[in-house]
Amino acid sequence: MLRDGVTVEIASDLDQVQVLGLYRAVGWIAYTEQPDVLQAALAGSSRIVVAREGGALIGLARVISDGASIAYLQDVLVHPRHQRRGLGAALVRSALEPYAEVRQKVLLTDDQPAQQAFYEHLGYQEISKTASGSLRAFVRFDR
Ligand SMILES: CC(C)(COP(=O)(O)OP(=O)(O)OC[C@H]1O[C@@H](n2cnc3c(N)ncnc32)[C@H](O)[C@@H]1OP(=O)(O)O)[C@@H](O)C(=O)NCCC(=O)NCCS
């Protein structure tokens, strides 16, 4: 139990309607316009944790990992009505719990101050600011 009846737990039996509602609430239409892709993405994730209040789904985070060398944090979302109460951070910590020994933790996110503050709060650094300064990140979008 996190606070006031809010729980963070490993996802089981995710209700697709609730999931779509949560993704819609944060405006992630790239997912909600392709529910089959979202369903497959969730099914293929290494670990998904959810936040619930009563029966309602109010947050979700998921990780894709080989369990040894890399843990990729793919989605973190908290329903707008529940933001800025520590839930996003609790979801990320719980999602990454089994990967404490995995050195390389990476993610892509929007270029917005809120996301920057959130991930810096969690110990992530922009790649250009890493200690060695000799890393480069590449991405390719095929659609
Ligand atoms: C990003 C997101 C997951 C953060 O969830 P949250 O529950 O509001 O975050 P937390 O309350 O755990 O915030 C932890 C810390 O991150 C920082 N932070 C989070 N949101 C912030 C914001 N909007 N502005 C500035 N700092 C912010 C703060 O340092 C905060 O600590 P504080 O409240 O004690 O100051 C949430 O805003 C969200 O779902 N956004 C839409 C989806 C998204 O962009 N996801 C991330 C990209 S994958």
Side-chain angles (χ1 to χ4, degrees):
M1 185 83 67
L2 197 67
R3 56 153 179 91
D4 305 339
V6 174
T7 57
V8 171
E9 62 205 17
I10 296 171
S12 62
D13 295 333
L14 274 178
D15 179 307
Q16 182 76 348
V17 173
Q18 283 194 329
V19 169
L20 284 171
L22 177 61
Y23 276 73
R24 209 172 281 126
V26 297
W28 281 0
I29 54 168
Y31 279 124
T32 56
E33 285 175 351
Q34 295 185 288
D36 293 349
V37 172
L38 177 56
Q39 196 163 10
L42 293 170
S45 297
S46 309
R47 180 171 164 95
I48 307 174
V49 296
V50 291
R52 293 188 186 279
E53 186 177 52
L57 182 68
I58 60 171
L60 183 149
R62 65 189 183 99
V63 173
I64 291 106
S65 177
D66 59 14
S69 68
I70 184 163
Y72 189 96
L73 185 62
Q74 173 60 356
D75 297 339
V76 189
L77 55 163
V78 173
H79 193 288
R81 277 202 300 272
H82 298 271
Q83 290 177 5
R84 292 309 291 270
R85 297 183 196 167
L87 204 46
L91 281 163
V92 171
R93 290 194 181 105
S94 173
L96 290 173
E97 209 170 73
Y99 309 108
E101 300 305 316
V102 174
R103 179 166 184 262
Q104 197 170 314
K105 298 189 173 76
V106 293
L107 63 88
L108 277 182
T109 191
D110 294 332
D111 179 20
Q112 295 295 321
Q115 280 80 358
Q116 179 167 0
F118 178 65
Y119 288 115
E120 285 179 353
H121 176 85
L122 287 161
Y124 284 81
Q125 271 186 308
E126 284 198 56
I127 201 148
S128 59
K129 296 181 189 153
T130 51
S132 74
S134 63
L135 287 172
R136 204 170 268 181
F138 290 87
V139 64
R140 176 175 136 179
F141 295 108
D142 284 339
R143 281 190 292 126

